[in-house]
Amino acid sequence: MRFMLTAPENAKSGSKEIIKYITIAVLAKANVVLFPSSYLPYYKNSAAFYTDKDLQKLPGLVAGTNVNVITGVNFIDYKKQRRKTVITFNESGIINLRHKIDLENHYIDKGYISGNDDFKPSVINGINICTLECYEVLFIKNWKERIVTASVGFGMKAITDNYNCDYFNEWLTIVKSNCILTKSWCFLSCNTQHKDFMTAAINPEGELIALVKQLGFCVVDIDDEFVFSLPSKNPVT
């Protein structure tokens, strides 16, 4: 299974920029292409959002391809609630849609984010993939499958800077630990609003297999033996 992880520019129109990466994914024969948090329609503009009608148009971006897209979306639902959302889609339609847990309503010191069991996996080529949004990836209880993706943003950077945190290495250390404890692969795609990058691939041994340090992308293959020997659920509960 081949993943393409993007570190794209904060284009003013993510829906146009995304087409470029989908084209590359086709040439690279990638099964899955991962984009950052709130990549659509535009990360830097918090007033920009997609409605359900906009979401229904997304599969058209990959028409005629075998590419599956996982991306963050600024979404407004029928109740006019704005949500940070992760959507998975291919040319057949929307595979999965889930909304990020609101950190303000939960406590980090519990060791995980509780109160939301809605972690329905994205099923791609018969394989369950846990698709997380931003800081959800830090909490091991959210890792429901043994392939985990996270569409990441650096919106919390200003908060962590107040505590003199090494934002990049703190996150990377936690994610590596989660990979080891759950025997999972983790794929991250980060927007490039800040100097640090978090587009990376980490294997079940906690090894950093790929790290994108500039605008662009990387391609990572998962061994077929790993993919086809996956249990239905993560060993850590």
Side-chain angles (χ1 to χ4, degrees):
M1 196 171 203
R2 177 166 290 179
F3 286 77
M4 184 174 123
L5 318 176
T6 66
E9 292 183 79
N10 288 296
K12 290 187 177 180
S13 178
S15 59
K16 292 181 180 179
E17 182 79 3
I18 202 172
I19 294 173
K20 177 181 76 175
Y21 285 99
I22 289 171
T23 301
I24 296 171
V26 171
L27 295 174
K29 298 181 179 180
N31 304 107
V32 181
V33 56
L34 179 64
F35 291 93
S37 172
S38 302
Y39 187 61
L40 298 176
Y42 175 37
Y43 183 83
K44 283 188 176 180
N45 186 352
S46 60
F49 52 84
Y50 273 2
T51 64
D52 184 67
K53 185 177 180 180
D54 297 312
L55 296 185
Q56 298 304 321
K57 296 177 182 177
L58 292 179
L61 296 174
V62 290
T65 77
N66 294 317
V67 174
N68 298 271
V69 174
I70 302 172
T71 185
V73 178
N74 276 339
F75 176 64
I76 187 165
D77 64 19
Y78 69 96
K79 294 181 180 180
K80 305 301 181 183
Q81 292 180 317
R82 297 184 180 186
R83 298 173 177 268
K84 300 287 187 182
T85 298
V86 181
I87 186 170
T88 307
F89 63 90
N90 59 25
E91 66 170 347
S92 299
I94 295 173
I95 297 172
N96 197 8
L97 182 73
R98 58 170 306 273
H99 307 301
K100 183 172 75 173
I101 298 169
D102 184 358
L103 187 64
E104 294 178 0
N105 294 331
H106 305 280
Y107 296 97
I108 292 179
D109 60 3
K110 287 183 178 179
Y112 62 94
I113 301 176
S114 61
N116 187 338
D117 294 323
D118 185 21
F119 286 95
K120 177 183 175 183
S122 295
V123 183
I124 297 176
N125 296 345
I127 304 300
N128 286 358
I129 298 177
C130 179
T131 54
L132 302 179
E133 219 283 345
C134 202
Y135 51 68
E136 289 180 332
V137 76
L138 300 179
F139 302 94
I140 199 167
K141 290 290 185 178
N142 296 339
W143 290 44
K144 303 298 185 181
E145 307 294 340
R146 287 190 58 204
I147 299 177
V148 176
T149 68
S151 298
V152 179
F154 271 175
M156 292 177 69
K157 184 174 175 63
I159 298 174
T160 54
D161 280 351
N162 290 337
Y163 295 95
N164 297 315
C165 291
D166 184 341
Y167 189 80
F168 173 81
N169 284 306
E170 288 283 345
W171 276 52
L172 203 57
T173 299
I174 293 170
V175 173
K176 284 181 176 180
S177 174
N178 288 352
C179 286
I180 294 169
L181 292 172
T182 63
K183 301 180 175 63
S184 302
W185 273 92
C186 185
F187 299 100
L188 304 156
S189 175
C190 183
N191 71 74
T192 55
Q193 185 176 7
H194 299 286
K195 65 179 181 178
D196 294 321
F197 286 73
M198 188 62 75
T199 294
I202 303 163
N203 71 13
E205 287 72 46
E207 298 169 333
L208 188 63
I209 300 301
L211 177 65
V212 181
K213 294 185 176 181
Q214 58 187 358
L215 294 176
F217 65 94
C218 66
V219 175
V220 179
D221 289 321
I222 291 186
D223 190 292
D224 285 347
E225 183 178 345
F226 178 85
V227 171
F228 292 111
S229 65
L230 288 175
S232 59
K233 289 293 180 182
N234 200 302
V236 173
T237 59

